[in-house]
Amino acid sequence: RVIPAPARAPSPKNVSADEESTCAEAAYKAGWPMDGGTQTEEGDYRDIIIAVAIGIAESSCNPGAVYGSGSCAARGLWQIEECYWPDVSETCVGQAQCNADAAFNYVHKDDGFCAWQTFDYDCGKDYVDTWKNYISDAQAAVADLKITLQNAGTGECLAADASEPHNGGAVWQFHCNSANAYDDWYVE
């Protein structure tokens, strides 16, 4: 099932960095990898960059965005349609993280990024290819992610600079006490 493109995609200048970071954080927590990529018409991009760019094109990264009406309206960051994704509740699609989790699961189960009509023309004649207008915004949002690794039981965390995802990239240690389960990472 292809998700129709919004009637009018947002202008990149009208989407704030905070909104873009909502997509980036939700995409990262959902599991889109920081490494590995997908070959597109625009080149080879990390999956998380593509996911965030699609989120910007679909909803301006607004968890409350609705396109259409009724039970088949597209909702949330990645504009999920409940009537085509029956396992995803209306409550879920309006929550940023639940919407991202559902979109990630759908991508890895079915049509990949071709599930969104805002993706590449290579997916079919009805695709509008608007995701590419948001590549640089998506890259900036992902580069601004703060990833935390917590040492089990000590409360000491490591944070990594997402703009340096390679050996030798910047990391630092600090005292943390996070109540956010997504921030609790354990390295064995």
Side-chain angles (χ1 to χ4, degrees):
R1 165 75 179 126
V2 175
I3 298 167
R8 183 177 8 174
S11 167
K13 67 182 176 202
N14 292 334
V15 182
S16 75
D18 284 344
E19 291 165 325
E20 291 166 354
S21 72
T22 297
C23 276
E25 184 175 330
Y28 174 75
K29 290 176 181 180
W32 269 297
M34 296 288 275
D35 60 355
T38 297
Q39 184 62 38
T40 73
E41 292 177 348
E42 299 300 312
D44 191 30
Y45 286 96
R46 292 183 287 162
D47 287 352
I48 194 168
I49 299 297
I50 297 169
V52 173
I54 288 172
I56 298 169
E58 290 286 331
S59 70
S60 301
C61 295
N62 175 0
V66 177
Y67 175 66
S69 61
S71 64
C72 288
R75 294 176 167 85
L77 299 178
W78 280 274
Q79 293 293 280
I80 293 175
E81 296 178 17
E82 189 179 347
C83 62
Y84 294 104
W85 298 11
D87 295 339
V88 184
S89 71
E90 186 171 343
T91 302
C92 172
V93 296
Q95 298 171 1
Q97 192 57 56
C98 194
N99 191 287
D101 293 344
F104 176 80
N105 290 331
Y106 189 81
V107 163
H108 289 87
K109 173 172 97 165
D110 289 320
D111 296 326
F113 291 114
C114 286
W116 287 275
Q117 209 171 12
T118 53
F119 195 52
D120 278 353
Y121 290 128
D122 283 348
C123 294
K125 68 177 180 67
D126 294 328
Y127 285 77
V128 295
D129 204 35
T130 54
W131 78 279
K132 68 183 180 184
N133 298 327
Y134 308 102
I135 293 170
S136 63
D137 294 305
Q139 289 170 324
V142 170
D144 286 342
L145 278 174
K146 300 295 184 246
I147 301 163
T148 304
L149 301 173
Q150 183 172 357
N151 184 335
T154 69
E156 293 297 314
C157 290
L158 289 177
D161 186 335
S163 67
E164 298 183 28
H166 53 76
N167 287 339
V171 295
W172 56 93
Q173 186 174 9
F174 64 97
H175 184 73
C176 59
N177 187 8
S178 176
N180 183 345
Y182 289 107
D183 288 342
D184 292 336
W185 290 78
Y186 300 95
V187 180
E188 296 180 24

